[in-house]
Amino acid sequence: MTTAGATVQTVKIDAGEKISARDKLLAAAAALMTERDTVDVTINEVAGRAGVNSALISYYFGGKEGLLTALAMGAARVAVADLDSLMAMRTTAAIKLKHHIAGIINTFYAYPYLNRLLWALMRDTDSASARQLSNEFMLPVMRVQKALLEEGAATGEIRPTDPMLFFFQSMGACEYLFSGAFALKLVYGVDRIDDDLRRRYVAETTALFMNGYLTKPPA
Amino acid sequence: MTTAGATVQTVKIDAGEKISARDKLLAAAAALMTERDTVDVTINEVAGRAGVNSALISYYFGGKEGLLTALAMGAARVAVADLDSLMAMRTTAAIKLKHHIAGIINTFYAYPYLNRLLWALMRDTDSASARQLSNEFMLPVMRVQKALLEEGAATGEIRPTDPMLFFFQSMGACEYLFSGAFALKLVYGVDRIDDDLRRRYVAETTALFMNGYLTKPPA
């Protein structure tokens, strides 16, 4: 590991450039992963796309895994903040369930590489990346889902269910459109997931979970 | 590409050994992928595990991609045959829907590496593997789902829905427990998906889709 001070001297950057180059690297990695439908990108490809020296990846992120973790955590922080806002809303558990399902789909629409990043970074469950993503993303999502399901069960709106199994059902049903986009292309000739398709998937999948879990059919 | 005749001479096998070594290679690849929770295995690892000469992978499968495609197609053929049997059953669309959802989960339980194999082999949508898996697996599954949903809509049992979107909902909800098994381990400390967990997931997920799509609540 290079110390920050040593790297600053080597690549000659100042504080103003630092912020910009870091964001450029994250944006470049996101763009490459989205275009290529894979998280297998090299440090040189990311630096080349960002138009910055590849040494900056070590400087800002400590290496490629750090860059990928920072990218995943950026998406995770947005998703967890949205979830916290949702839970704080003064509305019924049924409406929260609907917004939550739509929110998962919208997260994967905004970050189509997110699920593959999670797989790549969490497969080694002993790694620091896996622990961070587990503690700061998976765990908060599961905690909010559990609270939402318990709130709905208490008011009689949602039939009692196992929050652990609900996590896999909801994540899977919402994200497979994105990670399985190859099937969209091969079987249906649909090359990209546009906003119209996103809206239709939100409508059909919120309906599945509302009908699937509410004790009374949605209005 | 080596011709079959030339390879037979080189590795000196007879017809009896052929069948056995081919199956050993497929079983070894399946075992390694299941144990390691990845489809990244080398030809030498597979041959070593199978206890056969690695040249046999070229002989039987034309190379690693051919081996992986054969493994995916083996699972696919079982799944498609089960689907055809299901559709031929003299029962209601509601019961068929229930068995179909259970069937998808049971397929991924039996072949936990199947979804990752599909991703690895179908990402290049122009490849021969992608076309074969699309034509002989994805397309038959989508065709049966469409027929099932239309049958249910005609009898009034199933509310009308878009079969394309249903495909992604059902595949995702059923398979994420397996491809997201790292989350089971990290957050819940569950190391493996045993038969009890499989049965609970079948129960909860068939309930989600029955409640979610049937016009009348299941009995």
Side-chain angles (χ1 to χ4, degrees), chain A residues 3-15:
Chain A
T3 67
T7 312
V8 168
Q9 287 188 322
T10 312
V11 297
K12 293 192 178 62
I13 47 175
D14 67 24

Side-chain angles (χ1 to χ4, degrees), chain A residues 75-98:
Chain A
R77 282 193 196 99
V78 174
V80 170
D82 285 351
L83 266 184
D84 290 339
S85 305
L86 175 64
M87 283 305 286
M89 277 172 64
R90 300 172 71 95
T91 185
T92 62
I95 296 295
K96 287 181 186 173
L97 175 65
K98 183 177 179 177

Side-chain angles (χ1 to χ4, degrees), chain A residues 120-140:
Chain A
L121 294 167
M122 299 183 78
R123 196 170 68 77
D124 174 4
T125 49
D126 294 327
S127 69
S129 300
R131 276 195 305 276
Q132 184 180 9
L133 286 163
S134 176
N135 290 333
E136 299 181 36
F137 182 39
M138 295 279 177
L139 207 58

